[in-house]
Amino acid sequence: MNPSRTIRTPDQRLRVFVSSTLKELAPERKAARTAIERLHLAPVMFELGARPHPPRDLYRSYLEQSDVFVGLYGDRYGWVAPGEEVSGLADEYLLSPRTMPKLIYIRESESREPRLTELLDRIRSDDSASFKYFSEPRELRGFLEADLATLLAERFDQSRPTPPDVPRETQPAVVDSDDAVILPAPLTELIGRERELESLERMLRGGSTRMLTLTGPGGIGKSRLAIAAADRVRDAFGGGVRFVDFSAVRDPALVPSTLAQALGVQDIGDTPVIEKLVMALRARRLLLILDNFEQIVEAAPTLTHLLTAAPDLTLLVTSRTLLRVSVEHSFPVGPLALPGTGAGIDEVSQVPAVTLFVERAHAVKPDFELTAANVAAVVGICTALDGVPLALELAAAKVRVLSPAAMLERLDRLLAFLGGGPRDLPARQQTLRQTIEWSTQMLGDDEKNLLATIGVFEGGFSLEAVEKVWDPDMRADTLGVLGTLVDNSLVRQQDRGDRSYFSVLATVRAYALEQLESAGTLAEMKERHARFFLGVGVDAEAQLEGPMQREWMVRLTDDRDNLLAVERYLLEREDWDRAAEFVWTLYIFWWVGGHHGEVRRWMESVLASGAPLADLTRAVALYYTRAITFWQDPDGQVVPGLLESAELFRRAGDPPGEALTRISLALALLAAREPDPAGAAAHLESSLAIFRDTGDNWGEAMALVALGRVALLQHDVQDALERFQNSLTLARKQREQLGEAIALHHLGWAQLLLGSLPDAQTSFDESLSLSLAASHDEGIAYGLEGMVATSASRGELERAGRLLGAAERLREQSGLYNAPSFSFHQQWVGQILASDGASLFEQARAAGRTLSARAAAEEALRLPAHVTSGGAGHG
């Protein structure tokens, strides 16, 4: 770099030219952009580089304005235009100045195009280029960030003037002018918005987005995000960047004069202000931030007039509601990311919501730190507040007088507790209650009533649900009213498959519930809510046993919080019959979703009530309190309780309930101190007969699996194989994926025990794939354990160890480690641990414990080349 260069102002960041093919290396290009921007450098990513040839002087112009050349190369040489000898990709490298530093990154590959190989050979001979190989975008990002930092450090000394008395060129700072960047100076760092900033930057730099509206409820961080985005793209607006605050403006007619004041346009009454604005703006490439525009949306036509008259004007608007003009592009702003379950303190500390809370807590209590003692409470606070920045900041301010644990205890009265924020915040943000009140001032009665009704929903709701709860007679325009709430950012909407789903922030919901309480309608709305989801349970029961299983599992998972709320409501009312009916209709959902422990506790409270119970209610309660942990006390209460449950189901006229209970009874007999295979088989045969008599294919398939287990325990592997195959046939006939995955898993073990390794591998593969698609943790763990055995059978000790470690971690993190599992993999593990390969196996096992369930499953499904090419290994 030339030592005589001027000092760079923030809009003159060092430019890094990135050369690559486009579609082939899209993830790598994104990683490169991230690495460059993390160092506060400017990426120059010429999107025509691998498309039809642009003029060479345009290439040179981009390259001459750049300081560093970065080349990313994969398999493709790129398109060669008619009449040209080289591709655009090659041309970019060939036209780069000889003296420009070049960082070259080559993706590992065995199928590179010959002409690209020739180009790379030429690059390797360039002494101004350094190159590295990488395997994935994340690795590339790390390499590039480190290499750029090193490059800048190496060249820093070269940029210093040698003689101290030689004056250096300087650029006077711009204090104020018509092209100045005038933005509020943020007092704190923006946290957790990098992804949103990247998206906003793309839209604002693209040139086609003239009006971009950031929407979201009060306190979500729209203004702060808009300011940061504007600062990031300041170099793209030669006419300047200006911030205009409309929070105090209530009259739409005042919009032109407010704009004029912010832009320095004098209004002396000689000409309409709007005309002066047009004159001032029409020749400027200007970015205007219009903040807090929601209460003057009627002035939107004024903005479209300005955009039409000033073709280089761009508007970045923040508002709780859309402006509803044709030129507008919407950008919803959501809460900050929250921690996942099972994360360690180091991982939790990097999650945006937690980072924000801790940073703001430091401001009021400098010695506050995230520790093992308080991390759970901090995570609880962040989760309770939905990751809303304003809520987190107000809560963090209480750290000076309350510990996180004490604070978490007080969040029940959320709105009242969080009152009294910093005095330098706008009045509307002093408390969350004021913020929400401000958001509802302009709503009509229907909108206010619907918003209050939404308070009874937990987690979210569908349009159908809110229609039935708010307006059971279907007389109102629920969709239109709900749309108004969405437009005002009080309700959030997102598409989930072919369903529209809605939600509100916890702060908004708490306010809504207060409205129901004050109106005296809370009890009525809770009952309506319960009746609706009781009907959902009835509809779901049959669907969960057939081809719509996955769709219904997704739907019920979306509504999980509502389902739990309904059951709690029924128990609080001591409505034992409906409470038992509800959990029984959703049997498969509770099972696959991992809720059986909670269901058991619910049903224990039913039995403990001492109230007289209907036969069906007691049957369900006995089933859930005995069958869920049949292995823990098979000789005590479990077997007698299940015997009574089966008889009660029979008396109540529920044959499938009786049959399902007999399967659990059989499992309990097998788990007894003195197992009773004969007794278990008898109950299973009875169960099988009942399911067949009632035409219950799902139940029949489950009974066949259980009978196959008994056969395996009796060492009749061939009989077990036939039972599992028949179960698989039924599951596939039903097109029911859970039953199919279960049958395949058991079939794989029978095949492996019979010495058919390829067939077992196929069965475990299919079972694991189905479980992965359904996000069924137990099925994934079973699949990984099956793969442990097949890998060990082929002598692949390292692979077996990694998969075992991942399976163990998954069972531990998902709470499945203490339950009995039907898996024979320990036989193979024991053999390995007794062999010379034990050390390698244990090292791999430890490494496997770092894998997520999905990563491990995807690794397991990528078979080694010698297997996919037909090698069977050794059995």
Side-chain angles (χ1 to χ4, degrees):
M1 297 181 184
N2 190 337
S4 66
R5 271 190 161 164
T6 61
I7 297 174
R8 295 176 184 269
T9 57
D11 62 334
Q12 294 176 310
R13 295 176 292 171
L14 290 172
R15 294 175 171 84
V16 181
F17 186 96
V18 180
S19 173
S20 76
T21 51
L22 297 183
K23 291 183 179 179
E24 176 202 11
L25 295 177
E28 287 79 2
R29 288 171 67 84
K30 182 177 181 180
R33 176 184 285 276
T34 300
I36 294 166
E37 290 177 343
R38 280 173 62 89
L39 294 171
H40 300 285
L41 309 179
V44 179
M45 307 186 81
F46 191 41
E47 298 298 333
L48 296 178
R51 295 180 181 175
H53 248 51
R56 279 195 173 86
D57 58 354
L58 190 55
Y59 274 140
R60 286 195 179 96
S61 175
Y62 272 83
L63 286 163
E64 287 172 0
Q65 295 175 42
S66 300
D67 303 282
V68 182
F69 180 95
V70 171
L72 312 178
Y73 303 98
D75 295 335
R76 303 193 60 186
Y77 177 69
W79 188 71
V80 180
E84 299 291 343
E85 296 182 357
V86 298
S87 68
L89 180 71
D91 215 14
E92 287 177 348
Y93 170 74
L94 296 172
L95 289 172
S96 62
R98 173 74 179 168
T99 57
M100 179 181 289
K102 300 180 182 68
L103 302 176
I104 307 299
Y105 302 92
I106 305 169
R107 190 175 66 188
E108 294 175 351
S109 172
E110 297 179 356
S111 57
R112 226 180 304 278
E113 292 181 355
R115 292 202 67 180
L116 179 57
T117 300
E118 293 175 8
L119 175 63
L120 293 178
D121 288 341
R122 177 170 181 172
I123 292 174
R124 289 189 190 96
S125 65
D126 184 347
D127 58 10
S128 67
S130 66
F131 60 90
K132 289 182 178 178
Y133 289 88
F134 68 94
S135 58
E136 60 178 2
R138 182 182 300 178
E139 185 179 28
L140 167 65
R141 173 178 163 179
F143 283 160
L144 180 54
E145 191 171 335
D147 292 345
L148 283 172
T150 301
L151 178 66
L152 294 175
E154 289 175 347
R155 296 184 173 243
F156 177 74
D157 287 337
Q158 300 175 25
S159 68
R160 299 174 188 253
T162 304
D165 55 343
V166 176
R168 175 176 280 187
E169 292 183 16
T170 60
Q171 179 173 324
V174 177
V175 177
D176 193 7
S177 71
D178 62 357
D179 62 350
V181 175
I182 303 177
L183 295 171
L187 300 178
T188 56
E189 178 186 4
L190 181 64
I191 293 172
R193 296 297 193 188
E194 188 58 32
R195 183 177 299 177
E196 290 92 334
L197 283 173
E198 290 176 1
S199 298
L200 289 170
E201 181 176 7
R202 270 196 311 274
M203 298 176 77
L204 291 171
R205 287 188 184 276
S208 60
T209 303
R210 301 285 311 286
M211 178 190 287
L212 182 56
T213 303
L214 277 59
T215 61
I220 203 70
K222 302 182 296 295
S223 303
R224 184 69 178 81
L225 180 60
I227 293 167
D231 187 61
R232 183 173 284 203
V233 299
R234 59 197 299 166
D235 62 304
F237 294 89
V241 179
R242 297 294 177 94
F243 179 90
V244 188
D245 183 11
F246 286 94
S247 61
V249 181
R250 297 289 184 271
D251 184 357
L254 296 178
V255 167
S257 59
T258 305
L259 284 170
Q261 184 178 2
L263 292 169
V265 175
Q266 300 293 310
D267 179 17
I268 58 175
D270 56 334
T271 303
V273 175
I274 190 68
E275 293 184 21
K276 290 191 173 187
L277 286 172
V278 169
M279 181 65 69
L281 297 173
R282 64 182 181 178
R284 292 172 63 180
R285 180 157 175 73
L286 178 70
L287 174 63
L288 282 181
I289 302 177
L290 310 183
D291 196 40
N292 298 308
F293 210 80
E294 52 271 355
Q295 68 268 8
I296 44 174
V297 292
E298 294 87 350
T302 299
L303 303 185
T304 57
H305 174 67
L306 290 175
L307 288 168
T308 301
D312 290 323
L313 173 65
T314 299
L315 302 179
L316 182 56
V317 184
T318 73
S319 173
R320 290 193 308 276
T321 183
L322 292 172
L323 276 59
R324 299 292 182 187
V325 291
S326 60
V327 72
E328 182 181 41
H329 288 71
S330 171
F331 191 96
V333 180
L336 294 176
L338 294 167
T341 57
I345 186 170
D346 290 338
E347 185 177 349
V348 166
S349 68
Q350 301 301 313
V351 175
V354 175
T355 303
L356 177 63
F357 181 89
V358 172
E359 287 293 319
R360 299 304 182 258
H362 279 155
V364 298
K365 194 172 187 292
D367 62 346
F368 179 84
E369 296 293 343
L370 193 67
T371 67
N374 66 23
V375 64
V378 171
V379 169
I381 291 167
C382 294
T383 302
L385 297 177
D386 276 333
V388 177
L390 175 59
L392 293 171
E393 293 186 5
L394 291 172
K398 308 294 182 183
V399 164
R400 68 165 69 91
V401 292
L402 287 174
S403 70
M407 193 184 304
L408 185 58
E409 289 179 5
R410 294 168 181 257
L411 284 178
D412 285 341
R413 303 305 297 175
L414 183 70
L415 296 176
F417 166 67
L418 288 174
R423 290 191 179 90
D424 61 348
L425 284 179
R428 65 184 177 86
Q429 292 187 2
Q430 285 293 318
T431 67
L432 291 179
R433 182 178 183 83
Q434 289 174 332
T435 302
I436 298 168
E437 285 279 10
W438 194 55
S439 297
T440 62
Q441 284 176 358
M442 293 171 285
L443 296 178
D445 289 342
D446 281 350
E447 286 80 8
K448 290 178 180 177
N449 290 336
L450 180 57
L451 179 62
T453 300
I454 287 169
V456 299
F457 289 94
E458 298 270 7
F461 55 91
S462 65
L463 174 61
E464 177 191 9
V466 77
E467 280 180 326
K468 294 290 179 63
V469 175
W470 181 56
D471 181 34
D473 296 327
M474 306 294 284
R475 294 177 181 173
D477 178 18
T478 307
L479 180 59
V481 177
L482 185 61
T484 300
L485 295 179
V486 172
D487 288 347
N488 282 276
S489 298
L490 289 163
V491 175
R492 294 178 293 174
Q493 183 269 336
Q494 64 182 118
D495 291 332
R496 298 190 180 181
D498 59 353
R499 300 173 72 224
S500 289
Y501 205 75
F502 304 86
S503 62
V504 294
L505 298 173
T507 49
V508 176
R509 180 175 179 271
Y511 172 83
L513 283 172
E514 287 190 0
Q515 306 313 299
L516 289 179
E517 286 180 314
S518 63
T521 56
L522 181 58
E524 178 188 355
M525 289 303 171
K526 282 190 172 183
E527 176 59 26
R528 289 188 191 179
H529 178 263
R531 284 202 300 267
F532 173 78
F533 284 104
L534 282 164
V536 169
V538 172
D539 294 339
E541 185 173 16
Q543 299 293 344
L544 287 170
E545 297 179 1
M548 296 297 292
Q549 183 185 82
R550 182 180 297 181
E551 288 80 357
W552 270 86
M553 283 298 301
V554 170
R555 174 179 175 178
L556 293 170
T557 299
D558 287 343
D559 282 323
R560 178 182 57 193
D561 291 338
N562 285 304
L563 303 178
L564 301 180
V566 167
E567 184 63 18
R568 288 193 297 266
Y569 165 76
L570 295 172
L571 293 173
E572 288 169 2
R573 288 173 51 87
E574 299 185 359
D575 192 340
W576 312 125
D577 291 345
R578 288 201 298 172
E581 174 194 357
F582 188 54
V583 297
W584 195 244
T585 58
L586 292 173
Y587 176 87
I588 292 177
F589 173 73
W590 304 127
W591 171 25
V592 178
H595 298 289
H596 266 169
E598 190 158 11
V599 175
R600 179 190 181 186
R601 290 188 290 274
W602 292 337
M603 293 300 99
E604 283 174 343
S605 69
V606 172
L607 294 176
S609 68
L613 302 174
D615 285 350
L616 187 58
T617 299
R618 182 168 175 81
V620 171
L622 283 169
Y623 176 86
Y624 275 118
T625 55
R626 306 301 192 265
I628 303 306
T629 53
F630 66 85
W631 67 94
Q632 292 181 345
D633 184 27
D635 299 302
Q637 296 184 352
V638 171
V639 170
L642 289 175
L643 282 168
E644 181 185 354
S645 177
E647 175 59 22
L648 289 170
F649 273 121
R650 187 191 66 77
R651 281 188 357 207
D654 187 346
E658 178 190 353
L660 186 61
T661 303
R662 291 192 182 279
I663 291 178
S664 294
L665 186 54
L667 296 176
L669 290 172
L670 292 173
R673 283 190 297 272
E674 296 182 7
D676 182 7
H683 282 293
L684 289 172
E685 292 292 356
S686 175
S687 173
L688 183 63
I690 294 172
F691 280 131
R692 283 175 173 168
D693 289 344
T694 56
D696 190 329
N697 289 335
W698 181 86
E700 183 181 349
M702 293 299 103
L704 285 167
V705 166
L707 282 163
R709 286 189 177 191
V710 174
L712 277 182
L713 293 174
Q714 294 175 327
H715 307 291
D716 190 346
V717 182
Q718 189 60 47
D719 179 56
L721 182 75
E722 293 174 7
R723 300 280 195 177
F724 298 146
Q725 287 173 332
N726 291 336
S727 177
L728 179 60
T729 299
L730 280 171
R732 285 177 169 165
K733 180 180 178 181
Q734 284 283 105
R735 291 159 57 201
E736 190 265 300
Q737 294 181 341
L738 175 62
E740 188 177 349
I742 291 171
L744 282 164
H745 169 75
H746 287 80
L747 182 61
W749 285 118
Q751 290 164 333
L752 191 58
L753 292 170
L754 288 171
S756 181
L757 177 57
D759 289 340
Q761 183 69 58
T762 299
S763 295
F764 287 137
D765 275 0
E766 293 181 22
S767 177
L768 179 57
S769 296
L770 288 168
S771 297
L772 186 63
S775 299
H776 185 208
D777 285 344
E778 186 175 21
I780 294 171
Y782 272 132
L784 293 173
E785 289 161 353
M787 300 288 203
V788 169
T790 56
S791 298
S793 296
R794 290 191 297 268
E796 297 163 355
L797 305 189
E798 186 173 358
R799 176 181 168 86
R802 284 175 63 83
L803 298 182
L804 177 62
E808 291 172 337
R809 179 195 185 203
L810 174 58
R811 285 195 176 277
E812 291 168 6
Q813 292 193 346
S814 58
L816 298 170
Y817 58 91
N818 209 22
S821 61
F822 191 82
S823 179
F824 296 91
H825 67 284
Q826 288 297 345
Q827 296 181 18
W828 280 263
V829 172
Q831 294 172 12
I832 295 172
L833 292 177
S835 72
D836 293 339
S839 177
L840 174 63
F841 177 80
E842 288 290 17
Q843 290 176 11
R845 185 179 190 172
R849 293 181 66 85
T850 67
L851 297 174
S852 68
R854 180 164 294 275
E858 290 173 350
E859 178 176 320
L861 292 169
R862 290 194 299 269
L863 287 177
H866 69 274
V867 178
T868 56
S869 63
H874 42 277

